[in-house]
């Protein structure tokens, strides 16, 4: 089991939310149930295999932020059930408070050059998980911490993006073969936009709300301008969970931004990206099933 295994729950949950926004309950509810069942199952598997995780590696630490994000996404999907929202929010926060100090220690030990040489798209998961908790805090009505976590998420996104860009400028191989986890750069900006949208809607009109609105538009633009380059350079690698989640998140964010700005054209954008994410989800599930069949047949477990 990989540390970032919870990305499957993230992707399933966010596509479920996008489906619900567009009125596709027949799609949304089965996906919501899969996410709700998948989260505790992966938690159990992670618990029994925790000794296999190399917690000295920064890649392991950032990968485990998928757990934080998965808790936040499932909490958001079932936000109308307040106990679920609070329980999953608490679980996600517990994971975050454990992982953040570990991440900072490992970043300090690596130093600037070490960070540059190892930076990759999955490092944005720290920002994604933090933005997710911001959304949970806002849904719970705890605006102060929602605002604080949103600010932390933006800072993490900025730092990680600079490191990834630095590595890309220094390493031509990264530029030629863009890995699928670079899609998380787009997803990180999209979920930061969504958190900003929710904060803006909850705020009273005034200077603070105006600043939040500007920042959400900026982060949405940052997410949007990455789509075409990513599609051109790594479209063959979209069949993986790190690409499905950002596509679904962009759909949800575009839908939410319509409420904030009144730009109704974004509804069409949201609808298009929902279907792209939905198709990508189905294809990734097919890839996963095929891998499982190959694995079981290789061990003589395939039924005859």
């Amino acid at each position: 089991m990989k540390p970032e295994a919870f990305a499957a729950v993230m992707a399933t949950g966010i596509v479920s939310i996008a489906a619900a926004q567009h009125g596709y309950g027949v799609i949304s509810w089965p996906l919501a149930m899969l996410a709700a069942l998948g989260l505790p199952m992966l938690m159990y598997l992670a618990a029994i295999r925790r000794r296999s995780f190399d917690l000295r590696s920064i890649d392991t630490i950032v990968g485990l932020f998928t757990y934080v994000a998965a808790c936040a996404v499932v909490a958001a999907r079932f936000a109308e059930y307040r106990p679920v929202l609070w329980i999953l929010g608490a679980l996600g926060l517990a994971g975050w408070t454990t992982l953040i100090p570990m991440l900072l220690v490992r970043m300090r030990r690596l130093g600037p050059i070490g960070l540059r040489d190892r930076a990759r798209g999955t490092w944005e998961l720290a920002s994604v998980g933090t933005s997710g908790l911001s959304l949970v805090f806002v849904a719970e009505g705890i605006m102060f911490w929602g605002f604080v976590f949103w600010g932390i998420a933006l800072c993490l996104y900025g730092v990680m993006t600079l490191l990834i860009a630095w590595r890309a400028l220094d390493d031509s191989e990264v530029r030629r073969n863009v890995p699928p986890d670079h899609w998380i750069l787009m997803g990180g900006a999209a979920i930061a936009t969504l958190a900003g949208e929710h904060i803006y809607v909850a705020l009273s009109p005034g200077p603070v709300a105006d600043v939040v609105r500007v920042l959400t538009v900026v982060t949405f633009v940052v997410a949007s301008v990455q789509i075409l380059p990513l599609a051109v350079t790594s479209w063959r690698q979209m069949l993986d969970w790190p690409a499905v989640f950002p596509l679904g998140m962009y759909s949800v964010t575009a839908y939410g931004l319509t409420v904030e700005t009144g730009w109704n054209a974004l509804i069409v954008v949201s609808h298009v990206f929902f279907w792209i994410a939905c198709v990508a989800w189905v294809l990734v599930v097919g890839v996963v099933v095929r891998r499982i069949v190959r694995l079981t047949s290789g061990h003589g477990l395939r039924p005859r």
Side-chain angles (χ1 to χ4, degrees), residues 173-198:
E173 181 63 24
V174 174
R175 296 195 299 272
R176 284 195 301 268
N177 299 306
V178 179
D181 61 19
H182 274 48
W183 280 93
I184 304 175
L185 274 78
M186 186 269 278
I191 193 172
T193 303
L194 187 64
E197 291 169 6
H198 284 227

Side-chain angles (χ1 to χ4, degrees), residues 267-284:
I267 289 291
V268 177
V269 174
S270 175
H271 215 144
V272 169
F273 272 86
F274 159 66
W275 282 114
I276 294 173
C278 197
V279 171
W281 186 91
V282 171
L283 293 175
V284 171

Side-chain angles (χ1 to χ4, degrees), residues 180 183 231 234-241 243-244 247 276 280 284:
W183 280 93
S234 58
W235 66 272
R236 294 178 182 273
Q237 299 160 318
M238 288 178 63
L239 298 184
D240 205 350
W241 296 123
V244 177
L247 292 169
I276 294 173
V284 171

Side-chain angles (χ1 to χ4, degrees), residues 46-102:
I48 63 175
R49 301 196 61 182
R50 63 186 183 278
R51 295 183 184 277
S52 66
F53 294 150
D54 181 10
L55 296 179
R56 295 168 299 179
S57 169
I58 190 172
D59 292 322
T60 300
I61 300 302
V62 293
L64 288 171
F65 272 96
T66 56
Y67 163 73
V68 178
C71 288
V73 170
V74 177
R77 178 59 185 85
F78 294 97
E80 65 269 29
Y81 305 102
R82 304 303 289 183
V84 175
L85 178 67
W86 282 88
I87 290 170
L88 290 178
L91 289 172
L93 181 61
W96 188 90
T97 54
T98 301
L99 293 170
I100 276 291
M102 298 170 70

Side-chain angles (χ1 to χ4, degrees), residues 71-291:
C71 288
V73 170
V74 177
R77 178 59 185 85
F78 294 97
E80 65 269 29
Y81 305 102
R82 304 303 289 183
V84 175
L85 178 67
W86 282 88
I87 290 170
L88 290 178
L91 289 172
L93 181 61
W96 188 90
T97 54
T98 301
L99 293 170
I100 276 291
M102 298 170 70
L103 174 63
L104 295 177
V105 168
R106 281 147 188 79
M107 290 181 71
R108 182 177 62 83
R109 288 177 179 172
L110 284 172
I113 302 302
L115 289 170
R116 179 203 64 188
D117 293 342
R118 300 188 64 172
R120 50 184 300 189
T122 52
W123 287 20
E124 298 287 8
L125 288 168
S127 174
V128 170
T130 307
S131 288
L133 287 179
S134 173
L135 286 164
V136 172
F137 278 123
V138 174
E140 293 171 344
I142 309 174
M143 288 300 300
F144 174 78
W145 286 109
F147 205 97
V148 168
F149 270 69
W150 184 53
I152 295 172
L154 291 176
C155 292
L156 286 170
Y157 184 83
V159 170
M160 299 306 187
T161 301
L162 286 174
L163 289 170
I164 294 166
W166 188 11
R167 181 182 179 185
L169 290 172
D170 188 66
D171 188 347
S172 59
E173 181 63 24
V174 174
R175 296 195 299 272
R176 284 195 301 268
N177 299 306
V178 179
D181 61 19
H182 274 48
W183 280 93
I184 304 175
L185 274 78
M186 186 269 278
I191 193 172
T193 303
L194 187 64
E197 291 169 6
H198 284 227
I199 291 171
Y200 173 79
V201 171
L203 289 174
S204 301
V208 175
D210 292 340
V211 171
V212 170
R213 181 175 184 176
V214 170
L215 287 175
T216 56
V217 172
V218 169
T219 52
F220 185 71
V221 170
V222 170
S224 300
V225 298
Q226 296 182 64
I227 295 173
L228 183 58
L230 284 169
V232 170
T233 58
S234 58
W235 66 272
R236 294 178 182 273
Q237 299 160 318
M238 288 178 63
L239 298 184
D240 205 350
W241 296 123
V244 177
F245 172 77
L247 292 169
M249 179 54 68
Y250 192 82
S251 171
V252 173
T253 299
Y255 187 95
L257 201 59
T258 303
V259 177
E260 178 185 331
T261 64
W263 300 341
N264 293 325
L266 289 176
I267 289 291
V268 177
V269 174
S270 175
H271 215 144
V272 169
F273 272 86
F274 159 66
W275 282 114
I276 294 173
C278 197
V279 171
W281 186 91
V282 171
L283 293 175
V284 171
V285 168
V287 170
V288 172
V289 170
R290 187 162 62 247
R291 288 174 183 169

